[in-house]
Amino acid sequence: MPHRSSLRSGLPLLLLGLLSGPAAATPEGAIAAGDVSATPLAPASTSSTRPVPALALGEVYRPGIDLEGYLVSEKLDGVRGYWDGRRFITRGGMPITAPAWFTTDFPAVALDGELWMGRGTFALLSGTVRRSEPDEDAWRRVRYMVFDLPGHPGDFETRLKVLRGLVAASPSPFLDLVEQTRVADHDALMAALNQVVVAGGEGLILHRRDSLYRIGRSADLLKVKPYLEGDARVVAYVPGQGRHEGRLGSLVVEEADGTRFRLGTGFSDVERDDPPPLGSVVNFKYHGRTTNGLPRFASFLRRVEAF
């Protein structure tokens, strides 16, 4: 579904069928009884032979923890990039083709960080890192913001000290360190979060000071945001109407527990013309759950299958 002209003729073949009534006829975001059976869904392939990097992942911050034990940094709205000492790999195991000059003088050790262009630039950055032939002009705007050293056996503060030395020793203008600071209490954390969000940032990350590099999700890393986030797999498309006629109206997505709902907001025009493929995983934000267990006010954030 790469172009709007092709969407006009090809989109219905991928749909679960026209909705059988207004959205208000079902609970918020729900799929009406006839919606999913009108057209068979394309199978969502989950198999992959890509080597997926073993990364530390964050949980959601809940008030009440002792913040003395954590350092705080901005959660950069970029693409997670694992540098294995020779090349970049996404969180999902996809290689990232960066220009050779971009990684010249990078340390020959494993680094964990974020490829970043600045606040509010995720769509441009995502398109840049996905290209098999790098756009050199775009890559000159990218910085690799490192925040961890996966292969080091020390705790986070020790790893951070080593990282500072590695970054300081590198003459690369494209390598930088994510700033880590202390926060006194929950109120101070919320004030810092508000400051970042008002400035156009996404949120904060708490990193436990005495933690080893632990693979998978744990409370060693905590995401602090003004909303909740979730991941779901794309199972079907719903056609747009009005201004969006001939392109994506909304996605039908399915969470890991089988919950299906529609995502109809948060898309740019470019994303509606070229929506995430069937079977891919998308990230969405929401504000709690309805009594039916559906994400409330769910809105598309980004495609994350390869990230």
Side-chain angles (χ1 to χ4, degrees):
M1 301 171 57
H3 302 292
R4 186 164 183 171
S5 58
S6 63
L7 284 172
R8 292 188 181 279
S9 59
L11 185 60
L13 298 177
L14 298 173
L15 298 176
L16 42 78
L18 295 175
L19 300 182
S20 56
T26 55
E28 179 184 328
I31 306 300
D35 286 351
V36 213
S37 59
T39 301
L41 300 178
S45 174
T46 58
S47 62
S48 173
T49 57
R50 298 193 303 260
V52 178
L55 300 179
L57 303 173
E59 295 183 351
V60 176
Y61 167 75
R62 309 287 183 191
I65 68 168
D66 181 9
L67 292 173
E68 172 65 24
Y70 288 82
L71 294 176
V72 62
S73 62
E74 181 174 346
K75 186 182 187 304
L76 303 179
D77 186 17
V79 171
R80 184 82 172 265
Y82 174 73
W83 171 253
D84 68 0
R86 300 179 300 107
R87 61 172 184 159
F88 280 119
I89 307 171
T90 69
R91 173 179 157 185
M94 293 289 291
I96 296 174
T97 307
W101 49 258
F102 184 86
T103 57
T104 298
D105 299 318
F106 274 24
V109 297
L111 301 174
D112 193 358
E114 200 89 358
L115 290 162
W116 195 54
M117 279 183 167
R119 293 167 175 163
T121 61
F122 179 80
L124 176 60
L125 175 72
S126 177
T128 298
V129 302
R130 288 178 187 276
R131 291 175 63 102
S132 57
E133 291 293 331
D135 179 338
E136 301 208 3
D137 287 339
W139 271 97
R140 294 186 195 282
R141 298 180 54 188
V142 180
R143 296 295 180 270
Y144 185 43
M145 306 296 295
V146 295
F147 51 72
D148 218 328
L149 198 59
H152 195 283
D155 63 25
F156 180 63
E157 286 192 309
T158 301
R159 300 196 304 275
L160 190 58
K161 182 177 180 180
V162 175
L163 269 177
R164 286 196 184 100
L166 289 172
V167 172
S170 172
S172 173
F174 305 107
L175 183 68
D176 207 347
L177 184 68
V178 174
E179 181 183 3
Q180 305 282 344
T181 59
R182 303 282 289 273
V183 63
D185 52 30
H186 175 75
D187 289 342
L189 181 67
M190 292 300 101
L193 174 64
N194 183 66
Q195 184 177 14
V196 165
V197 171
V198 167
E202 185 176 81
L204 302 173
I205 287 286
L206 291 171
H207 207 138
R208 195 157 64 86
R209 294 162 53 197
D210 64 355
S211 63
L212 303 180
Y213 192 91
R214 189 189 308 188
I215 297 166
R217 295 199 182 277
S218 75
D220 294 343
L221 279 173
L222 296 173
K223 296 181 288 186
V224 189
K225 291 189 176 185
Y227 50 79
L228 299 171
E229 282 189 23
D231 291 343
R233 189 169 298 278
V234 178
V235 295
Y237 304 112
V238 176
Q241 298 179 5
R243 188 173 78 85
H244 299 310
E245 183 180 357
R247 58 181 175 180
L248 179 72
S250 59
L251 298 176
V252 177
V253 298
E254 181 175 283
E255 294 182 279
D257 65 359
T259 300
R260 285 191 178 186
F261 60 95
R262 287 191 297 264
L263 277 179
T265 62
F267 302 100
S268 67
D269 285 348
V270 172
E271 288 162 338
R272 290 189 186 277
D273 285 338
D274 186 17
L278 293 173
S280 65
V281 175
V282 297
N283 185 234
F284 62 92
K285 65 180 180 180
Y286 65 104
H287 299 268
R289 299 266 174 174
T290 69
T291 55
N292 298 293
L294 299 172
R296 186 178 294 280
F297 306 121
S299 178
F300 174 81
L301 282 175
R302 62 183 66 89
R303 180 186 170 193
V304 298
E305 182 186 37
F307 301 152

